[in-house]
Every structure is written in structure tokens, then in C-alpha cells.
Amino acid sequence: MAVSLGYWVLFFVFVVIMLALDLGVFHRGNHAPTMRSSLLWSAFWIILAFIFSGIIWTTMGSGHALDFITAYLLEKSLSIDNLFIFILVFGFFNIDIKYQHRLLFWGVFGALIMRVLFIFGGAALLERFVWLMYLFGIFLIITGIKMLFEKEEQQDLNDNRLIKLLRKILPMKEDVIEPHFIVKENGKRYATQFLIALLFIEGTDLLFAVDSIPAVLAVTQNTFIVVTSNVFAIMGLRSLYFALSSILPMFRYIKYALAGILSFIGVKMIFNEGMKALGSTLHISNIVSLVIIISLLTIAIVASVIVGRVEKRRKF
């Protein structure tokens, strides 16, 4: 179903207004978000997403509304990896919590632009080269299996190739206190740790998009649904980070859920495309996908909590 230009314009006007209100009104000053405000903002974005799915239901039908909800929850779950990166980066660069929201704002802004370009590019490729569905499916399965068996290691960003490269090509000053990306000293301009952290966040989001965009395109190739679900998931990412950053490390089994989700979506892409090529109506529906995504995340979180409590009791 083709979506008229008017819907696109209205949606992006809404996004611009929300971004302007976010940085210019609600988070104008540099302050540390409280747990309460972060939870309220997270709830606000989730409610907005479901209100938007209701609008899609009314204007485009129940099938597209289900596609949106499935794509939104899929992108939301896969974005959990980004939250761990935020924790790692802010800790490594010793960025005060009161400056983190502003940094994440620009990180999300850049991510939105990259994701939209990726989605349009990916959808155009899939429309022209159907066999890419099999390739994307295999890629997601391999990524999921790799994530499943990946060892948990304490990462040292000093050894990261991207950070090494940025430090090599940019004149650096990493002891800046105020949140400036560029500072001038003795007539010379220097990049700060805030700029390096931002570029690292953008770079890692680009890598995550390579996984998540094909996964969401397996749900639907309607670019309006894919773009809007991605935008809603990303827009609520900052408040979700501040709400969960203190407890995220406790969810030790979450990566296994994400690995399972990626592998399942990969299998779904290959199976559905194969059945279509054979002329069969048999397929894995988005309702099944939705149930599996929610189930895997729930099992991982509950298992993490139970094991954490058992270990805590053993210590005492």
C-alpha cells in the first residue's frame, strides 16, 4: 500500500517539533535526569507509539497496525545493545550524567538520518533483487549464532580501532569539563572527548543498523511502517537508557534473547521467501513473530532476575 506524501510530511513535521521541544524546552539545561522523569518519558514515548499504531489501524487497516507494533517491538528489543554501548562509552570518557542527555540527543538525531537512508536503500534493493532476502536471512542467522557464543569480556575502548583512528586524525583535548565538541586554545582548535564519544556512538549505531534494518524489513517492506517504527523506537531510547542504565547490567541473559530473535527473524525471512517462490501460502506470520519476540525477552529478563536473587542469597 502506497502512502501519500502528506503522511510523510506530517510525520516528519511531528518528529522535528518533538526534537525541538525535547532539547529547547523540556531538557534545555544540563541536569541529571531522575529515575521518575526517565520512566515517565519512556512511558510517554511507548504510549505515543501505540497511539500512532491506532492511527495506522484507522487509516491503513489492522494488518499494517500489527506490522508497525511488531516492527516497533523488534527494533526496541534490538536497541538494547545500544544502551550497553552508552554505559560503556560514558564510563570510559568519564562524561558527567548531567551532560549525557544532550550528547545522546545529537547521537539520536544522527541515528535517525542514517536509519532513514538505510531503510529506503534496503527497501529499494529488496524490491529489485528479491534474492537478497535469502542473503539477509543467512546474515541474521550467522549474527545471532555469533552473539550466542560470544564470550563476555570487559571491553577496553583504548584498543578500539575507531577510537584509535579518531585520536590519530583529530587533534585531541580530552580533559574538557563543559560539553563542547570543539574547543579553541592558543589559536588552535581541538576535538574533545564529547565529540569522540558522539562519533563512536554514531559509528556503533551504524553497525547495529546493519543487523536491525534487515530484521525489520523481514516484518514488512512498507517503508512508511519501517521508518516510523524505527523513529519511535529510537526517539524513546534516551529516556529508556536513563531509566534502565543502573539495572541493565543485571540482565545477564538478555544477549541470548537478542541472539534468538535475530536468528528467528533470519529463518523467517528465508522460509517465507522460499514458500512464496514455491507458490505456497504457508508462512510465519507477524503475530507469531510478535509472540516469539515478547516471549524470548520475558524469559531472559525473568531468568536474569531469578539467578541474580539466588546468587545474592548465597552470599548471605
Side-chain angles (χ1 to χ4, degrees):
M1 176 181 175
V3 176
S4 67
L5 181 62
Y7 284 100
W8 285 104
V9 171
L10 284 173
F11 178 73
F12 282 115
V13 166
F14 161 77
V15 171
V16 170
I17 290 173
M18 291 306 299
L19 285 172
L21 288 173
D22 189 338
L23 192 64
V25 178
F26 299 117
H27 299 98
R28 191 172 183 177
N30 294 314
H31 61 274
T34 63
M35 176 66 79
R36 182 175 179 275
S37 68
S38 298
L39 287 171
L40 287 173
W41 272 103
S42 294
F44 170 76
W45 281 110
I46 292 169
I47 291 168
L48 265 187
F50 279 90
I51 290 173
F52 188 77
S53 71
I55 295 172
I56 291 177
W57 185 303
T58 304
T59 57
M60 300 172 66
S62 58
H64 288 295
L66 177 63
D67 289 349
F68 173 85
I69 293 170
T70 306
Y72 171 73
L73 290 178
L74 174 61
E75 184 58 44
K76 199 76 171 173
S77 61
L78 293 178
S79 68
I80 291 173
D81 263 359
N82 293 61
L83 303 186
F84 287 105
I85 290 296
F86 296 161
I87 294 172
L88 181 67
V89 171
F90 291 146
F92 177 77
F93 287 107
N94 198 27
I95 293 176
D96 196 297
I97 190 171
K98 66 182 179 181
Y99 300 135
Q100 291 176 11
H101 187 279
R102 187 168 294 268
L103 191 64
L104 285 179
F105 173 88
W106 293 111
V108 165
F109 182 75
L112 288 175
I113 295 172
M114 286 192 297
R115 292 296 180 101
V116 170
L117 294 175
F118 260 55
I119 290 165
F120 278 106
L125 284 172
L126 286 175
E127 188 175 347
R128 187 169 182 181
F129 306 107
V130 179
W131 54 268
L132 283 174
M133 287 292 283
Y134 299 105
L135 193 63
F136 284 163
I138 293 169
F139 173 74
L140 290 178
I141 293 170
I142 292 172
T143 303
I145 293 172
K146 185 180 176 182
M147 184 184 292
L148 187 64
F149 294 101
E150 200 173 47
K151 291 182 179 180
E152 292 285 347
E153 294 178 356
Q154 189 68 33
Q155 296 186 56
D156 183 3
L157 293 188
N158 281 308
D159 297 326
N160 184 270
R161 292 181 181 179
L162 177 58
I163 289 182
K164 280 183 177 180
L165 178 64
L166 291 172
R167 283 173 168 169
K168 188 175 181 179
I169 63 177
L170 295 173
M172 291 293 304
K173 189 171 179 59
E174 296 189 35
D175 57 352
V176 177
I177 298 175
E178 293 296 319
H180 301 300
F181 295 130
I182 304 289
V183 294
K184 191 174 182 180
E185 190 174 284
N186 298 324
K188 188 176 180 180
R189 296 185 186 277
Y190 295 90
T192 69
Q193 73 271 27
F194 294 95
L195 179 60
I196 301 300
L198 175 63
L199 292 175
F200 185 80
I201 287 172
E202 297 289 11
T204 51
D205 184 74
L206 191 62
L207 293 176
F208 288 139
V210 174
D211 295 337
S212 65
I213 299 302
V216 177
L217 286 171
V219 174
T220 176
Q221 291 177 44
N222 183 310
T223 49
F224 185 74
I225 300 296
V226 178
V227 167
T228 52
S229 61
N230 256 262
V231 168
F232 271 106
I234 293 172
M235 291 281 279
L237 198 59
R238 287 158 300 156
S239 50
L240 186 64
Y241 163 74
F242 289 109
L244 301 181
S245 58
S246 59
I247 60 174
L248 264 176
M250 293 164 49
F251 297 148
R252 65 184 73 189
Y253 299 127
I254 201 74
K255 79 161 191 173
Y256 299 112
L258 300 180
I261 289 169
L262 282 175
S263 299
F264 164 73
I265 295 297
V267 170
K268 176 186 174 181
M269 291 178 85
I270 295 171
F271 180 81
N272 284 1
E273 199 57 41
M275 290 297 101
K276 190 191 297 183
L278 294 172
S280 172
T281 57
L282 186 65
H283 70 288
I284 301 172
S285 70
N286 282 341
I287 294 178
V288 173
S289 300
L290 192 59
V291 170
I292 288 177
I293 290 167
I294 293 173
S295 299
L296 287 174
L297 288 172
T298 302
I299 291 169
I301 291 170
V302 170
S304 298
V305 172
I306 291 173
V307 172
R309 286 181 178 177
V310 169
E311 288 182 349
K312 197 172 182 180
R313 285 173 186 169
R314 285 177 181 174
K315 288 179 180 179
F316 295 98

